[in-house]
Amino acid sequence: NAGVTQTPKFRILKIGQSMTLQCTQDMNHNYMYWYRQDPGMGLKLIYYSVGAGITDKGEVPNGYNVSRSTTEDFPLRLELAAPSQTSVYFCASSSSGREKLFFGSGTQLSVL
Amino acid sequence: QQQVKQSPQSLIVQKGGIPIINCAYENTAFDYFPWYQQFPGKGPALLIAIRPDVSEKKEGRFTISFNKSAKQFSLHIMDSQPGDSATYFCAASKGGSEKLVFGKGTKLTVNP
């Protein structure tokens, strides 16, 4: 099992550019999450999904969009990148919601 | 509004010491309290979790102490080792919710 796989690992964007952060899991988990981690600020929930076709906003959804067309994939879309979106992004999945989240290794994004 | 307050921000101990990390919460609807461990360049991983019906839970060298009346919980690491050097996050969740709220994290360094 690969677990939760995130691509790319690193990316530099220019202000106003768009990109999609990819996340896929092979554990057949229904629950998937996107978090951002800023230094000294912990993990903030951006969006989450409780199953294919169902998504909902977290604490900090502005500037992001998600889709969940399959159980395995949960991509995060940045439409107009801003410097405030410079962060490390983590995707996570779980079979039981809040209990035992499995995290990917992260995508480090810089917007310059 | 920070729902889970974690302290200290950083902590340095000698090998064999017992670091203690504290978290406090306000929302009495929280009923699940996990701790996650994160090594540099990796995603967080579940370490140990507790529910309010018990005051203490041990798993190996890691212990959670829970004080429901004070709305506080803490992580103790017995006989700490250099390999325990990592960032530790407490979190909390309400019953019926699929979401976790994380503290800001504590960077632990265990010197040889």
Side-chain angles (χ1 to χ4, degrees), chain A residues 20-77:
Chain A
T20 299
L21 281 65
Q22 302 292 344
C23 175
T24 187
Q25 52 95 5
D26 62 359
M27 297 174 282
N28 200 34
H29 287 168
N30 283 326
Y31 298 86
M32 295 190 75
Y33 305 83
W34 275 106
Y35 286 90
R36 60 177 287 172
Q37 183 177 21
D38 301 302
M41 296 302 293
L43 295 151
K44 300 291 186 184
L45 182 64
I46 305 171
Y47 271 95
Y48 68 104
S49 170
V50 301
I54 306 169
T55 62
D56 206 349
K57 296 177 181 179
E59 299 173 77
V60 290
N62 291 345
Y64 307 94
N65 277 301
V66 294
S67 60
R68 183 96 183 269
S69 57
T70 67
T71 299
E72 295 77 20
D73 300 307
F74 190 39
L76 178 71
R77 178 84 177 160

Side-chain angles (χ1 to χ4, degrees), chain B residues 48-91:
Chain B
I48 186 173
I50 197 168
R51 297 184 186 278
D53 53 343
V54 296
S55 60
E56 186 176 277
K57 184 174 181 180
K58 291 184 180 180
E59 286 188 6
R61 296 183 294 107
F62 300 91
T63 299
I64 300 179
S65 297
F66 187 82
N67 186 329
K68 189 174 182 178
S69 60
K71 292 185 285 187
Q72 295 176 348
F73 58 109
S74 59
L75 177 69
H76 302 232
I77 306 175
M78 307 301 290
D79 188 27
S80 59
Q81 302 296 313
D84 297 327
S85 297
T87 299
Y88 293 81
F89 295 95
C90 64

Side-chain angles (χ1 to χ4, degrees), chain B residues 11-17 19 79-86 108-112:
Chain B
L11 186 56
I12 300 174
V13 299
Q14 293 298 119
K15 177 182 174 182
D79 188 27
S80 59
Q81 302 296 313
D84 297 327
S85 297
L108 172 67
T109 302
V110 182
N111 289 325

Side-chain angles (χ1 to χ4, degrees), chain A residues 1 4 7 9-10 15 18-19 21 26 34 46 53 60 62 70 76-77 84 96 98 107-109:
Chain A
N1 279 353
V4 178
T7 56
K9 292 190 182 302
F10 304 94
I15 295 171
S18 301
M19 77 162 294
L21 281 65
D26 62 359
W34 275 106
I46 305 171
V60 290
N62 291 345
T70 67
L76 178 71
R77 178 84 177 160
S84 61
S96 55
R98 61 184 186 169
T107 294
Q108 186 169 334
L109 176 67

Side-chain angles (χ1 to χ4, degrees), chain A residues 73-87:
Chain A
D73 300 307
F74 190 39
L76 178 71
R77 178 84 177 160
L78 283 70
E79 289 295 345
L80 290 170
S84 61
Q85 293 176 306
T86 294
S87 188

